Amino acid sequence: MSKPALTVHVVDDDEAFRDSLLWLLDSHGYPARGHDSAEALLETISPAESACLVADVRMPGLSGLELLDEMRARDVRWPVIFITGHGDLPMAVQALRQGAFDFHEKPFDQAALFASVDRALALASQQQAQAQSRARVGARLESLTQREREVLELVVQGKMNKLIADALGISIKTVEVHRGKMMDKMQVRSVAELIHAVMSAADERALP
């Protein structure tokens, strides 16, 4: 089975364990990159990259939980899989509460870990597609004139052309012209499609 092209980042201060995990991932077709600390990852991390992360929950310097918090603060929303040692189960549970994707205890089952990585990469790919879609919608919104944006706002509120004309102090014919241009620029064929597009862009801006 072919693997997604997105990168699996591995963060662990144990060089032998990190190299072993990178070898396993590479041998099973996963593009992988290693980092010896959370700080090393943060030096190169970018919200523009879509990837997943496999990290030790307990490390010198920033812990796995602190790394997860810092990633969220930087708007990096990769799915994060934590590897935990014996006795770190409470930390793993806390990680899930903070938004981690999954966790595995050492020594982990390879098949189970790879299944988690597959799901994480599928989610990362989906997030990438959604982000690209939101960016396209955002660009279309930016292309609207002020009047077209005013018409859009009233259309998504469910206003008919006559009410839009009354609200903006223009003729129904003028509303029809602006509405047609707005729909063309937004690349939608119905009010339902328009509302869906606007809501997707609004959801992105509302993310914490």
Side-chain angles (χ1 to χ4, degrees):
M1 183 178 65
S2 62
K3 304 297 182 189
L6 304 182
T7 299
V8 181
H9 289 267
V10 175
V11 178
D12 199 300
D13 61 299
D14 184 331
E15 183 177 4
F17 178 83
R18 184 177 69 251
D19 288 347
S20 176
L21 182 52
L22 288 170
W23 180 86
L24 280 172
L25 289 166
D26 183 68
S27 66
H28 284 76
Y30 298 94
R33 181 179 177 188
H35 311 269
D36 61 8
S37 67
E39 292 83 352
L41 173 67
L42 291 171
E43 288 179 0
T44 61
I45 205 167
S46 168
E49 181 184 1
S50 292
C52 82
L53 172 64
V54 179
D56 195 344
V57 73
R58 190 184 296 277
M59 297 180 287
L62 289 179
S63 70
L65 296 181
E66 291 169 331
L67 171 59
L68 178 60
D69 287 342
E70 183 61 27
M71 289 171 65
R72 296 297 182 262
R74 299 186 185 197
D75 200 30
V76 177
R77 300 183 178 275
W78 300 350
V80 177
I81 300 168
F82 281 119
I83 303 295
T84 69
H86 179 69
D88 285 336
L89 185 58
M91 289 185 68
V93 172
Q94 181 60 33
L96 292 177
R97 290 174 177 168
Q98 291 180 214
F101 182 79
D102 202 355
F103 74 90
H104 294 266
E105 290 188 87
K106 297 177 182 177
F108 58 81
D109 178 81
Q110 290 185 23
L113 178 62
F114 292 152
S116 287
V117 169
D118 282 337
R119 293 194 303 272
L121 289 173
L123 176 60
S125 181
Q126 180 184 33
Q127 291 172 336
Q128 181 184 53
Q130 291 171 343
Q132 291 170 344
S133 176
R134 288 191 293 263
R136 289 192 294 269
V137 172
R140 293 167 193 165
L141 285 168
E142 290 297 322
S143 74
L144 299 179
T145 65
Q146 180 62 34
R147 182 63 83 187
E148 289 164 357
R149 185 177 288 270
E150 291 169 348
V151 170
L152 178 148
E153 291 172 354
L154 293 170
V155 168
V156 298
Q157 292 174 23
K159 306 292 185 183
M160 303 300 289
N161 286 351
K162 184 178 185 306
L163 292 177
I164 295 174
D166 291 342
L168 298 180
I170 57 179
S171 69
I172 294 177
K173 182 64 176 177
T174 301
V175 170
E176 292 172 349
V177 171
H178 287 307
R179 181 169 179 158
K181 290 181 178 178
M182 177 269 292
M183 296 287 280
D184 286 343
K185 289 182 179 180
M186 292 300 296
Q187 299 181 26
V188 295
R189 294 169 295 178
S190 68
V191 173
E193 287 185 11
L194 178 66
I195 291 172
H196 179 75
V198 171
M199 287 180 63
S200 71
D203 288 344
E204 169 68 4
R205 291 193 295 270
L207 287 172

